Amino acid sequence: MIFNLTPNDLFYGLDILNNFLRALSLIIVGIVVSKLSENISKREIEFNQITEDLRRSNEDLQQFAYVASHDLQEPLRAIVSFSQLLEEKYHDNIDEDGKEFIHFITDGAKKMNTLIKDLLLYSRITTQAKASKKTDLEEVIKDALFNLKESIDESGAIITYDEMPILKIDKTQFIQLFQNLISNAIKFRRIDPPKIHIGVNNINNEWFFSVKDNGIGIEQQYYSKLFNIFYRLHTKEEYPGTGIGLPICKKIVQRYGGKIWVESELGKGSTFYFTINLKKSDKKI
Amino acid sequence: MNEYKKIKARILLVEDNAADIRLTEEVLQQNKIVKNLDVVRDGSEAIDFLKKQGKFSHAIKPNLIILDLNLPKKNGFYVLEEIKKLEELKRIPIVILTVSDAKEDLIRAYDLHANCYVIKPLEMKEFSRILNSIVNFWFNVVKQFNDD
């Protein structure tokens, strides 16, 4: 039974109900939206925090690198220069053992100096990265080969390459990347003349590059360690180098959302592969 | 024909590292072109020396300045900037001699009008060769402005 309500009353009631429901829905929407934006704000805060942390750590890296290029190298210069001065000035009063000891001192200090310079190089991949520009990769390879002219002539290396694409990249870093791989291919040669081929392929919008050699090859158990900083497979007397070349390559490749790996056969040769995914690159690129 | 009068080098070395000072002295001692080597160990002293202020009232103006960048208190860039501002000092050639190969240092030094930028080598023989080259260049090759 409707309690003595007139149609007017009903409409009035419906009206109030209508307004009430509207208000309620507005409140509900309001709560949902504010919860969502709370989530988004939380994410945004997290994101900003991470970005801020990254920025600060990059700044620290830059400062460290700057300090390294000044304060760490000065004492080393003193060690090397004065050891050599000692030897020069007191030549007649130092016996063979003494001279040998002095050589070990200077060699140690020189090695440390090279390590510091290599660490600097490595850190500069991040701190001195330049904006990407459309670059002809054939020019990049030609520049790398020009830089390696001396060792190419010395070894008689025959170097060939596929037709290269034009990509939006940091030219300096890519020259470093190819130069390190080609330099290794020449250094770890097995027979004369060393033959090196640089290949390229595009699969599903990802660029695959390869540097193939007919050198001494690498045992599978060492594949993963190759890209660790200063990791070496040979003594300094066998092959020169501090072991920073491949880590540098890896860092550059990672900036472009890519991967780097090797396939090799001991005594036959190695092929180093790396991918570049221009869609996955660092935001700054 | 006027004979080109050979000028002797009066060098001001601005360097705080005792080892580097000693090395420089060792090398330049044997260089016949060098008449005098004065050493100051920080940026403020360098300016005082050049302006003949404070304890340097009897200082004689150098005709070559070898300047390290890594100095305590006021760094080499400060010294460079100050010198190149002053009429009576800005024509003295300034050789930046530093361990740094950082691009930003190179750019800043040349922007502030350093006459040249030389990187200190690690080894003694090379250091000697380079220092002697510097002296030879600025006194046997280059014609400097001298107001005496």
Side-chain angles (χ1 to χ4, degrees):
Chain A
M1 276 253 75
I2 302 172
F3 317 88
N4 266 340
L5 289 169
T6 64
N8 227 10
D9 290 333
L10 264 176
F11 282 130
Y12 188 58
L14 278 173
D15 209 20
I16 295 180
L17 188 61
N18 193 19
N19 285 337
F20 174 72
L21 283 172
R22 257 213 207 126
L24 187 61
S25 68
L26 275 174
I27 293 174
I28 291 174
V29 169
I31 293 175
V32 169
V33 167
S34 85
K35 273 273 175 243
L36 274 176
S37 54
E38 210 183 271
N39 260 359
I40 292 176
S41 296
K42 267 204 198 119
R43 291 278 155 81
E44 219 178 297
I45 291 174
E46 260 170 41
F47 179 78
N48 287 341
Q49 184 63 43
I50 293 175
T51 309
E52 177 60 21
D53 285 343
L54 269 174
R55 192 194 59 81
R56 221 178 308 129
S57 127
N58 218 36
E59 231 174 60
D60 285 343
L61 194 60
Q62 257 172 320
Q63 260 198 347
F64 162 76
Y66 190 76
V67 166
S69 54
H70 290 247
D71 300 309
L72 284 181
Q73 287 185 51
E74 281 194 344
L76 288 174
R77 282 192 62 252
I79 295 172
V80 173
S81 298
F82 280 103
S83 303
Q84 290 174 331
L85 245 184
L86 247 182
E87 196 185 5
E88 199 184 289
K89 218 170 184 179
Y90 299 100
H91 196 263
D92 300 330
N93 292 338
I94 305 180
D95 65 3
E96 280 315 302
D97 276 351
K99 292 195 176 110
E100 196 189 358
F101 296 164
I102 291 180
H103 280 170
F104 276 117
I105 293 174
T106 49
D107 277 353
K110 279 195 234 175
K111 171 84 192 266
M112 180 141 184
N113 186 267
T114 308
L115 289 172
I116 292 175
K117 284 190 136 80
D118 280 349
L119 278 176
L120 254 178
L121 253 179
Y122 185 74
S123 75
R124 279 171 181 169
I125 308 254
T126 320
T127 61
Q128 280 187 10
K130 289 187 253 171
S132 296
K133 282 195 201 149
K134 265 201 187 143
T135 313
D136 185 352
L137 257 62
E138 179 167 344
E139 290 305 313
V140 167
I141 292 183
K142 282 190 179 153
D143 280 355
L145 293 178
F146 179 78
N147 293 340
L148 293 170
K149 196 171 186 310
E150 217 180 293
S151 59
I152 292 175
D153 288 344
E154 200 182 32
S155 62
I158 298 171
I159 303 175
T160 51
Y161 48 91
D162 288 348
E163 196 178 320
M164 291 285 152
I166 295 178
L167 297 174
K168 211 173 177 213
I169 45 122
D170 175 336
K171 189 176 187 189
T172 311
Q173 289 192 352
F174 263 69
I175 294 176
Q176 251 182 313
L177 172 55
F178 278 105
Q179 196 171 319
N180 283 354
L181 292 173
I182 299 169
S183 162
N184 279 350
I186 298 174
K187 187 180 357 173
F188 296 104
R189 59 185 181 272
R190 179 173 49 92
I191 45 172
D192 285 329
K195 281 211 186 102
I196 301 162
H197 181 75
I198 306 164
V200 65
N201 232 325
N202 185 310
I203 303 172
N204 283 339
N205 252 326
E206 213 174 358
W207 290 97
F208 282 75
F209 291 90
S210 59
V211 178
K212 180 178 174 162
D213 66 57
N214 59 350
I216 60 176
I218 307 158
E219 270 176 82
Q220 191 166 10
Q221 54 172 312
Y222 302 124
Y223 283 6
S224 54
K225 293 214 185 124
L226 277 180
F227 300 94
N228 292 351
I229 300 185
F230 297 148
Y231 183 76
R232 306 185 71 241
L233 281 173
H234 308 276
T235 65
K236 169 182 105 165
E237 285 78 26
E238 288 171 324
Y239 295 98
T242 53
I244 199 72
L246 287 178
I248 285 180
C249 291
K250 181 173 177 183
K251 205 167 192 211
I252 295 174
V253 163
Q254 280 173 337
R255 285 196 69 224
Y256 291 88
K259 289 196 163 66
I260 184 168
W261 70 98
V262 65
E263 278 169 25
S264 177
E265 206 181 325
L266 201 60
K268 285 241 170 90
S270 311
T271 307
F272 280 83
Y273 295 94
F274 65 91
T275 57
I276 300 293
N277 189 328
L278 289 174
K279 293 212 172 107
K280 264 206 253 160
S281 312
D282 280 0
K283 265 219 175 235
K284 275 214 174 144
I285 300 175
Chain B
M1 280 279 101
N2 280 337
E3 216 186 60
Y4 171 31
K5 185 175 156 194
K6 284 250 156 97
I7 299 175
K8 291 279 187 180
R10 305 195 60 93
I11 302 178
L12 174 65
L13 173 66
V14 188
E15 170 68 67
D16 80 308
N17 182 305
D20 277 328
I21 294 173
R22 188 76 171 81
L23 281 171
T24 307
E25 283 171 344
E26 272 297 311
V27 172
L28 293 182
Q29 239 166 45
Q30 309 189 340
N31 189 308
K32 299 200 176 88
I33 306 174
V34 180
K35 179 172 178 177
N36 204 61
L37 175 66
D38 285 305
V39 184
V40 287
R41 303 188 66 167
D42 67 46
S44 312
E45 285 206 344
I47 300 297
D48 283 346
F49 183 96
L50 291 163
K51 286 187 178 171
K52 301 186 204 207
Q53 290 171 168
K55 64 181 178 180
F56 297 110
S57 49
H58 298 296
I60 301 182
K61 193 161 92 172
N63 45 26
L64 180 69
I65 300 173
I66 298 179
L67 176 59
D68 184 22
L69 290 178
N70 202 19
L71 302 167
K73 291 189 256 172
K74 301 261 167 75
N75 70 19
F77 290 119
Y78 160 79
V79 178
L80 181 55
E81 212 174 353
E82 286 305 302
I83 298 177
K84 290 301 182 184
K85 272 189 213 164
L86 300 166
E87 263 319 296
E88 67 275 19
L89 296 176
K90 68 186 186 186
R91 294 179 197 118
I92 307 175
I94 299 184
V95 176
I96 302 287
L97 185 61
T98 176
V99 291
S100 168
D101 66 347
K103 215 161 110 177
E104 56 264 27
D105 285 342
L106 263 155
I107 292 175
R108 197 169 169 203
Y110 280 118
D111 279 351
L112 290 171
H113 308 293
N115 294 75
C116 55
Y117 191 105
V118 179
I119 295 180
K120 288 184 198 173
L122 190 62
E123 305 195 54
M124 190 59 213
K125 273 212 172 81
E126 202 36 22
F127 184 66
S128 175
R129 183 187 77 81
I130 283 179
L131 257 187
N132 285 314
S133 290
I134 291 172
V135 171
N136 187 55
F137 180 74
W138 288 104
F139 292 97
N140 269 345
V141 178
V142 162
K143 180 82 175 121
Q144 285 194 41
F145 176 79
N146 269 300
D147 47 8
D148 3 277

